C-alpha cells in the first residue's frame, strides 16, 4: 500500500494540532504589556508543546522516509499515535492556565508518556512489516532515546507531587535529547540513497 | 481526471474534523483531578468519534487505492460524504455535554446513518465509473459490512428511547466491525500489484 | 513553476474554511430536540456555504487540471480568491445567527460577488499565461456561467432590501447553476488526455 | 532527504494560520451594518496579516523551488519560522481588538521582526546546504529586501511610541516591498528549467 496518503494525513493532523494550540493564547482585552503577564505560563506551555509536536513530526518524517510498505496495522498504529498527540492542546492549555499546578503537570506527562508508547508501538509495527534486515531496523539500532524517554516521563509524573519544577525540567530534558533528530536514520539513508532524492 | 487532489482535499477535511473535535474538550478552570470528571463523557464521545473518523479515513484510503478514474459525480458524492462527517464535531459535543441524553444520542446515530449512506453512494458511484469487472468491484464483493451498518444504526437510534446504553453499545459494535479494515481490498490489491507500490 | 504547491495550499485553505464553519454550530446546552430549533438557520446557512465552497473547490480543481504553468501573478490572484472565500465563515455565521436579516443577507451576497470576481480575475490570469490557444481557453469557451453569476449576485443584494427570501432563492439558483461542474473542461480534457491520468 | 513533506507540512501550517485568523472576526450579535463598525480594526488587522502570511507562503514556495536537498538543520529552521508565524493570529487579534493601541502595535512588529529573522536563518541554512554556487544562492543575490525589512520593522516598533499610524504605514510599506515576489528566483529558475515543470 502507498505510504503517501498516510504521510499526508499525519502531516495534516500534526499541522492542525501545532496550530490550534495557539487558539488558547487568547488576546487579552487590555492594551497594556501588563495584560500579557497572566498569559506567560500559557505561552511557555505552548512553546514546550510546539517543540514536542515538532519532534514527533520530525521523527515521523524520518521513520517513513526509511519505510517502503505500509499495511493496515501501520495505519491504525499511526492513528493511535495521532490520538494521543491530539490531546496536546487540551493538556497544554490546562497546564498553562493553572500556572503549572501539580495535577495538570502530571497529566501533561501522562499524555507525553502515552504518546511515546504509541510511537514505540508504531515503530515496532513498521519494523516488523519491513523485516529486521531492512533499512529502518538498521537505522534505529538500539533505540536508546526511545527507551529512556518513557522512563524519564514516568519519573517526571511522580516528581510532580514533590516539585513541579523538576517535572518541567525533565520534560525539557527529554525534548532536548530528541531535538537532535534521528541522525542515525539520516546517516544510514545517506549511505544508501543519493542525496537530494 | 486525477484522483490526487480529491484524496488531498478529503485528507485535509478529515484531518481537521478529527482534530477540531478536541477543541470541545475545554480545559477546566480548576487544577484538580476532580475538575476533569465532568469532562469524562465529552472525552468518551471524542474517543468514539475519533475511531469513526479513523475508520472512514481508512476505508476512503482503501477505496481510492483501488480506483483509477474519478469524474464529476465522484467529486460531489465525496463532498456529500464529507458534509455528513463534518457534522461529527457538533453531534459529538452535544452528546458529550449532555451526558449521553436520549435525543443527542439518537441524533448522533442519525449522523452516523447518513454518513454510512453517503459512503455507500460514493462507493456505488466509484464502482459504476470503474466498471463491474474492475479491481474495486471485485474487492468489495458482497459488502456485508456496508449493508449491515445502516441497519444497526437504525436499531441504535430507535433503542435510544428505551436504553441509551444499548445505543452506545451498538455504535461501539459497528466501530469494532469496521476496525478490521477492508482486508478484502488489501488482499485483492496485493494479488495484482507488487507490494510497496 | 510547479502548480503542485499552489493546489496543495488552496486545498488546505478550502478544507479548513469548509470545516471551521461547523464550529459556529455550537452544541446547545439543553438535551432536547427543541434546543436545536434556534440552530436551524445557522445549519441552513452552513449547508449553503458548504455547497458554495464545494463548487469553488470543484471548479478550482478543474481549472488547474487544464493548466500547465503558473507564475507569480497566478499565485497572488489565487490568494486574492482565497481571501474572499476566507470571509465565508464570518458572513455565514452572521447571516445564520440573525435569522437571514436584511443587512447580513446583503453582506453574504457581497462576499459571494467579490469571490466570483476574484475567481474571474484568477481565471483570466491563468488563461493569459497559457495563451488563448491553450486547452483551458478552449475549455472555458464563452464562460456564460461565469458572466451571469455576478449579475445574479448583484440583483440578490439589491433585492434583500425588499425580500430576503428572494435573495436566498437567487443564491440557491446560482449554486444550482454551478453544481453542474465544468463539464466543458472535463470534455475538452477527455478529448486530449487518456482517461485515468 | 525529500523536500516534499517539509513543503506539505509548511503548507498545512500556513493554510491553518491564514484561516484561523478569521475566527477572531466574530459575527456581531446585531443584524445592522452599524454592528460591523467595531469589527473594522479587526478586519484591517486581518487583511494585513493575510497579506503577510501570503508573502511568506509565496517566498517559501520560491525558496524550496530552488532547493534540492534538505537536512535536519533545515527542518528545525523551518519549524522555528513556523513558530513565529503561528503567533500571527494572537498579535493580529490583540492589535485589532485594541484598535491599534501602542503596545499591541509594537508587539505585532516584534513578531514580524522575529519572523523575518527566522526566515533569514532558514534561508542561510538552506543556502549553506546547497553550496554557494547553487541555483538558490545565485537567485537570492544580495538579498536587499531581506536585509532592509528587519531594519524597517525595528523602526516601526520604536515609532509606535510616538505615532501608531507611522508604525502601521511602515508595516504596510514592507508588505508592498515584498508583494513583488522573488522574481529574481523565478528568473534564475526560468533560465535553467523548462517552464511548466
Amino acid at each position: 500500500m502507498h505510504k503517501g496518503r498516510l504521510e499526508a494525513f499525519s502531516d495534516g493532523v500534526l499541522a492542525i494540532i501545532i496550530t490550534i494550540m495557539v487558539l488558547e493564547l487568547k488576546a487579552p482585552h487590555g492594551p497594556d504589556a501588563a495584560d500579557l503577564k497572566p498569559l506567560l505560563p500559557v505561552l511557555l506551555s505552548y512553546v514546550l508543546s510546539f517543540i514536542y509536536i515538532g519532534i514527533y513530526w520530525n521523527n515521523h518524517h524520518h521513520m517513513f522516509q526509511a519505510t517502503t510498505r505500509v499495511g493496515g496495522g501501520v495505519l491504525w498504529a499511526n492513528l493511535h499515535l495521532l490520538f494521543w498527540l491530539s490531546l496536546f492542546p487540551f493538556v497544554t492549555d490546562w497546564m498553562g492556565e493553572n500556572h503549572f499546578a501539580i495535577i495538570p503537570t502530571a497529566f501533561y506527562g501522562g499524555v507525553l508518556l502515552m504518546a511515546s508508547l504509541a510511537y514505540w508501538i508504531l515503530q515496532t509495527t513498521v519494523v516488523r512489516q519491513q523485516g529486521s534486515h531492512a533499512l529502518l531496523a538498521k537505522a534505529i539500532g538500539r533505540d536508546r532515546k526511545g527507551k529512556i524517554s518513557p522512563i524519564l516521563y514516568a519519573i517526571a509524573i511522580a516528581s510532580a507531587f514533590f516539585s513541579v519544577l523538576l517535572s518541567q525540567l525533565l520534560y525539557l530534558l527529554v525534548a532536548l535529547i530528541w531535538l537532535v533528530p534521528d541522525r542515525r536514520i539520516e546517516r544510514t539513508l545517506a549511505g544508501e540513497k543519493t542525496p537530494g532524492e
Side-chain angles (χ1 to χ4, degrees), chain A:
Chain A
M1 228 187 305
H2 198 51
K3 69 177 176 177
R5 268 192 84 179
L6 184 142
E7 290 184 321
F9 184 72
S10 308
D11 280 354
V13 172
L14 291 173
I16 298 158
I17 291 171
I18 216 170
T19 323
I20 61 174
M21 284 191 300
V22 91
L23 289 177
E24 303 304 339
L25 264 181
K26 294 203 183 69
H29 290 295
D32 299 320
D35 294 313
L36 287 183
K37 223 183 140 193
L39 282 179
L40 201 67
V42 184
L43 181 66
L44 287 178
S45 311
Y46 174 57
V47 173
L48 183 63
S49 294
F50 191 98
I51 292 171
Y52 264 111
I53 299 289
I55 289 167
Y56 272 103
W57 178 74
N58 230 320
N59 290 339
H60 195 272
H61 180 114
H62 279 85
M63 181 177 12
F64 281 94
Q65 195 87 15
T67 305
T68 46
R69 46 206 304 200
V70 289
V74 171
L75 298 186
W76 281 106
N78 190 53
L79 276 165
H80 178 238
L81 170 64
L82 295 178
F83 173 76
W84 290 107
L85 296 179
S86 82
L87 295 182
F88 265 64
F90 172 72
V91 287
T92 302
D93 187 27
W94 197 34
M95 186 169 79
E97 288 218 345
N98 289 289
H99 295 209
F100 306 104
I102 294 173
I103 303 290
T105 298
F107 261 88
Y108 188 84
V111 169
L112 282 178
L113 177 60
M114 293 309 293
S116 71
L117 296 178
Y119 190 84
W120 179 83
I121 292 172
L122 174 60
Q123 187 175 270
T124 308
T125 315
V126 169
V127 167
R128 205 184 312 130
Q129 282 200 355
Q130 309 283 314
S132 57
H133 300 293
L135 199 53
L136 182 63
K138 273 191 247 167
I140 291 170
R142 289 192 294 163
D143 193 22
R144 268 178 294 193
K145 282 187 200 177
K147 276 174 193 147
I148 207 168
S149 303
I151 298 170
L152 290 175
Y153 292 141
I155 295 173
I157 295 169
S159 62
F161 296 91
F162 305 97
S163 156
V164 167
L165 183 66
L166 180 60
S167 305
Q168 299 297 342
L169 288 176
L170 283 168
Y171 297 154
L172 206 63
L173 175 70
V174 181
L176 290 177
I177 290 176
W178 280 103
L179 263 182
V180 185
D182 256 307
R183 293 214 186 277
R184 303 160 301 177
I185 294 186
E186 221 164 301
R187 224 178 299 123
T188 314
L189 279 172
E192 309 228 354
K193 282 190 181 176
T194 28
E197 196 267 338

